[in-house]
Structures are given as structure tokens and as C-alpha cells.
Amino acid sequence: MQTKLARIAEIAKENPKEQFTSLYHLLNEELLTQCHRELDGNKATGVDQVTKAAYEENLELNIKDLVERLKRKSYRPQPVRRTYIPKDEKSKRPLGIPSYEDKIVQLGLNKILQAIYEQDFLNLSYGFRPGRSCHDALKALNRIIEYGKTSYIVDADIRSFFTNVNHEWLMKFLGVRVTDPNIQRLIRRFLKAGVMEQGTWELTETGTPQGSLISPILANLYLHYALDLWFEIVVKRACRGDASMIRYADDYVCCFQYKDDAERFYQALVKRLAKFDLQIAEEKTKILEFGRFAEENRKRKGLGKPKTFDFLGFTHYCSKSSKGKFRVKRKTSGKKFKSKVKAFKEWLKAERHQDVKRLMKTIRAKLIGHYRYYGVTDNSRALSVYKFQIIKALFKWLNRRSQRRSFTYDKFNLFLKRNPLPEPKIYVNIYG
């Protein structure tokens, strides 16, 4: 199967205009069994409540039956189960959890589409792509600002992108490369499967649910045609100075040498996104002076320090190295910091009655997970403050495990010596 997918990737790379008319047969027993093996058995279940372990009890029969239904075109995706996770202090992000069998098929589809579109997607795109990460996007943005001619940033946010994806446009974009009618029908069925929330089914006329295994590549496909190619082919050519963009899913930052280029781009962006039924969140969008020359320019004009912008959970700001050279530095954004601390406190409140050893093991894992993402160059202080907040919350909730106060400060410090929490660590060198 890997050989077949590699061959598809090779054809897609060699022939950028090649249209793939026969892909559906690749959703066979071999590929779908491989997808089952790769799925995480600890993830939340969909509306059918079927787990990986339960599906595995009759794996061979289940996969055979699934393939037969796919061949007969009688396979029907189930509605996704809607749940919510915290987005920030004031709002929650809706997730759509597919049923287990739908996860298998979606992962298979994802592998097929990825083989084709990884050859087409541009270098400026980093989200949900193999071998690319948030940290890679941060490093690329850092190089553009520090070593390029960036003097202005357009920090633009698309309003509720995943819920506003236009299905007809998405199918047109898909049809540029994938003309297999069976693959198209299957993807359309996933898009139209609907959402189940508290026992009520809701039609999905737009959007692709976050949480779905196929949503990331469909989102990248949509923005590849709606935004990336337009920026690379039209916008950059129309600019009198340098222009660059870094995109991670629907989160992106555009860098310009000249202010008038940035302003023209912003006006054109509003119209461009509207064409594809997308809107800019104007309250979150700004053009700001930022880069090597911004501080000097603003000082000369009496405007104070350059403003900051947020990208991928970090606040980026202009600063200097120990040798006095211009540096872009970043720290955990205030909004993300607050939401992470709040989420941890809520989790700890709910789980405080767990066995202490098990509880501390989980807390250590959560802290290391936080450090691994936010532990980037120049962000040591924010990591230390986060650990301090976690320790405060731990002291509070361990003392509420019973009616009697469990710890004094001295006893709690002794407890932490016996059950040490990991120290903050920089895991990612932005210049590495």
C-alpha cells in the first residue's frame, strides 16, 4: 500500500496538472486495517460509542464488511458528536467527534489526499502537514522578520473558518486534482453527515468539523486555493517591496517591506475571502509596524515601542540580543496563559481525590507537555510563572481533599521535595 501511495505522490509531483480519476479502490482491506492499527484507542468515542478495543474484537469481519459497503456505495458516515473545549477565558471551541468506523475511513482518505496534495501545497503552509510543526512555522516567521526586509505585519484572523467552509467551493477545489466521482461522493457524504448534540441531529450545510481526521487536509486544500496561491502569484507580484506569509491552518501572518503594500493587501484580502464565503474578524485584525527598522522609525516619530502581535499561542515583540542586535522575542500570550492555567485548575478540582502518586504523575506529564510546546527561546520566565501557578493550585486543592487542612506550607514544601515537579526547560531553539 505504501508503494501505491508513493507512486501516486510521484505522479502528482511530476505532473502538477494530472487529474486522478481512479483512487477509490485504494480504500481496501489492507489500507483500512493499517488505519485501524494507527488510530489512538484512548480518544473520545462518537455517537455510536464504539471503541477501538470493541471494534478489534471482530476486526477481520468488521473491515471486510466496511469494504463491502464502500464498494456497494451503501456506506453512510454517521453524524459527528459535538463537544466543546475551552478556546479562551470567555468562549469554547466546538469539536466534532466521528464514530470509530468513520475515523478509519477518514484516515484512509487522508492518506490518499495527502499523497497528492503534499506535492502541491506551498512552503508557506505548516499546519497539519507531515514533517512540519508549529515550531517550524515560528522558526520560519522568525527568519523572515529578523533577516528579511519586514517593516510591517498584517495580523489577520478569519472568523470561524472551520464552520464557514463553503462545501461547493471545497468540492470545486478538490476537483482540480481528484476527479474520481466515488471519492468526491464519499467526501461530500462526510461533509453532509450532520452533527449530533444532546440527542438532536443538526444539518451541516457549511463547514468541516474540527476533530474530524479529514478536516485538516480539507482546510489546507481550501486555503491553498483561496489564499496561498493568490498571495504567492498575485499579491507578491503587485507589491513594490518584499512580501511573505506564514500560515498554520487558518492562523497566518503576512510580512511586508512597505506600509502601502500592507494596506493594499488588507483591502484586497477582505474581498478575496468574501469571494469564498469567508470573513475577516476585524476586531482581531491589525496592521502594525514591526521589524528591524520599526523601533527606530517609531522613536523618530515619537510613537513609543512597536506593538506586538500573537501567533500560535505566542506574543511576538521587538527586542535586542545581549550584543545589542535586533531580535524578535516571544512569550506565552496572555490569553493562552490564562486559559491554560484555568483549564489546569478545573482539571485539578475535578481529579483532586485521585491517589496522590497517580495524580502527581499526571501533573508531571501535563507540565512537561506545556514545556515542550511553550519552551521556546526567550520564554523561560513565562514557563516559571506557569509552574508557580500550578504549585499554588496544587496547594489549594490538596488542602480541600477533606474537611481538615492537609498541609501547612512547610509540609507542602516537604511533599514537593518527595514528589518533585519538573523544572521549566527550553526544548525548542528558534535558531536551531
Side-chain angles (χ1 to χ4, degrees):
M1 180 51 64
Q2 292 306 317
T3 307
K4 289 177 183 176
L5 292 175
R7 180 59 187 146
I8 288 170
E10 192 181 321
I11 294 167
K13 188 173 184 178
E14 288 173 358
N15 306 294
K17 294 186 178 179
E18 179 77 24
Q19 292 187 316
F20 293 85
T21 59
S22 180
L23 297 167
Y24 194 65
H25 66 281
L26 295 172
L27 292 169
N28 55 26
E29 288 180 30
E30 183 188 352
L31 179 62
L32 297 179
T33 302
Q34 181 188 334
C35 292
H36 161 77
R37 301 284 184 218
E38 291 178 14
L39 285 170
D40 185 348
N42 295 318
K43 294 290 185 182
T45 56
V47 292
D48 59 355
Q49 297 295 302
V50 173
T51 62
K52 179 176 181 175
Y55 196 83
E56 202 164 59
E57 288 174 7
N58 293 296
L59 181 61
E60 196 174 328
L61 284 173
N62 285 335
I63 294 290
K64 275 186 178 178
D65 177 61
L66 174 56
V67 170
E68 280 302 311
R69 280 181 285 132
L70 283 166
K71 283 180 181 176
R72 295 196 310 266
K73 321 289 189 304
S74 63
Y75 169 77
R76 285 280 191 282
Q78 297 187 62
V80 296
R81 179 175 66 84
R82 180 174 284 161
T83 185
Y84 296 88
I85 59 169
K87 183 178 180 182
D88 50 45
E89 279 196 299
K90 296 178 182 177
S91 61
K92 293 190 175 183
R93 187 192 304 279
L95 287 185
I97 311 298
S99 66
Y100 186 74
E101 198 167 64
D102 291 344
K103 288 178 184 178
I104 293 174
V105 178
Q106 286 187 18
L107 185 53
L109 273 172
N110 185 66
K111 287 177 181 291
I112 294 167
L113 296 180
Q114 203 171 69
I116 298 167
Y117 289 107
E118 271 304 304
Q119 318 315 315
D120 292 356
F121 291 156
L122 305 184
N123 279 333
L124 59 81
S125 164
Y126 286 83
F128 309 112
R129 294 182 60 190
R132 292 179 160 230
S133 68
C134 290
H135 295 136
D136 292 326
L138 291 170
K139 289 177 184 180
L141 179 62
N142 192 73
R143 285 193 297 271
I144 289 167
I145 299 173
E146 284 198 9
Y147 304 116
K149 297 176 181 177
T150 299
S151 290
Y152 293 89
I153 295 281
V154 178
D155 179 20
D157 195 75
I158 301 175
R159 192 185 303 281
S160 305
F161 169 74
F162 283 92
T163 57
N164 288 317
V165 166
N166 180 293
H167 291 173
E168 296 311 312
W169 272 115
L170 178 56
M171 296 310 295
K172 282 180 186 175
F173 295 149
L174 181 70
V176 173
R177 284 290 235 165
V178 177
T179 56
D180 183 334
N182 295 318
I183 292 287
Q184 289 190 358
R185 183 189 303 111
L186 185 55
I187 289 174
R188 195 179 281 277
R189 282 181 178 177
F190 274 117
L191 293 173
K192 301 293 185 186
V195 171
M196 191 72 78
E197 185 172 8
Q198 295 180 338
T200 303
W201 180 80
E202 184 183 312
L203 178 68
T204 45
E205 295 181 343
T206 62
T208 174
Q210 286 177 275
S212 160
L213 295 179
I214 203 171
S215 284
I217 195 162
L218 294 181
N220 272 336
L221 175 62
Y222 202 90
L223 289 172
H224 171 72
Y225 288 105
L227 184 62
D228 299 357
L229 286 175
W230 172 70
F231 187 89
E232 201 69 15
I233 296 167
V234 178
V235 173
K236 288 178 83 167
R237 287 181 185 174
C239 289
R240 65 187 182 96
D242 284 5
S244 301
M245 179 169 76
I246 296 294
R247 181 175 67 79
Y248 192 96
D250 62 327
D251 201 358
Y252 59 99
V253 172
C254 302
C255 306
F256 295 90
Q257 184 177 356
Y258 297 116
K259 187 177 183 180
D260 57 335
D261 285 340
E263 289 172 339
R264 277 198 307 274
F265 164 72
Y266 176 72
Q267 296 302 321
L269 178 65
V270 173
K271 293 175 184 175
R272 177 70 182 180
L273 293 179
K275 179 179 177 180
F276 302 106
D277 286 354
L278 299 174
Q279 285 184 324
I280 277 183
E282 292 182 12
E283 70 281 2
K284 296 180 183 178
T285 301
K286 56 190 175 184
I287 299 174
L288 61 142
E289 209 168 359
F290 197 96
R292 277 185 294 168
F293 311 109
E295 199 159 4
E296 293 170 22
N297 291 342
R298 291 181 69 82
K299 265 186 186 177
R300 200 163 51 246
K301 297 171 188 173
L303 297 173
K305 284 189 174 183
K307 292 182 181 177
T308 64
F309 69 92
D310 289 354
F311 182 57
L312 298 180
F314 294 91
T315 296
H316 296 67
Y317 59 98
C318 294
S319 188
K320 283 184 168 50
S321 69
S322 56
K323 294 180 181 178
K325 290 186 178 180
F326 171 75
R327 277 269 305 276
V328 179
K329 293 187 179 181
R330 56 207 56 75
K331 60 184 178 182
T332 311
S333 78
K335 193 163 69 172
K336 281 290 180 186
F337 185 89
K338 287 177 185 175
S339 69
K340 291 288 181 185
V341 170
K342 183 182 178 184
F344 182 90
K345 287 178 178 177
E346 288 176 353
W347 171 82
L348 186 56
K349 180 181 178 182
E351 301 294 332
R352 68 186 186 273
H353 293 295
Q354 275 188 34
D355 172 73
V356 170
K357 283 189 178 179
R358 186 176 160 197
L359 186 71
M360 293 303 290
K361 183 181 178 182
T362 308
I363 290 171
R364 281 192 284 272
K366 282 179 174 288
L367 269 175
I368 290 171
H370 185 88
Y371 297 160
R372 283 190 179 277
Y373 184 78
Y374 290 100
V376 304
T377 307
D378 302 315
N379 198 32
S380 298
R381 186 176 180 278
L383 297 184
S384 298
V385 176
Y386 182 77
K387 184 187 176 187
F388 176 72
Q389 291 294 332
I390 297 316
I391 290 172
K392 272 178 61 180
L394 186 60
F395 178 73
K396 173 183 175 179
W397 289 111
L398 286 182
N399 268 329
R400 295 196 183 183
R401 282 162 65 96
S402 64
Q403 290 183 336
R404 290 174 56 195
R405 184 178 163 117
S406 306
F407 288 111
T408 62
Y409 280 112
D410 288 339
K411 281 186 179 179
F412 181 65
N413 286 327
L414 189 62
F415 170 80
L416 287 180
K417 279 186 180 178
R418 291 173 180 162
N419 300 274
L421 294 175
E423 289 299 319
K425 180 181 173 182
I426 298 299
Y427 281 89
V428 180
N429 179 5
I430 288 293
Y431 299 92

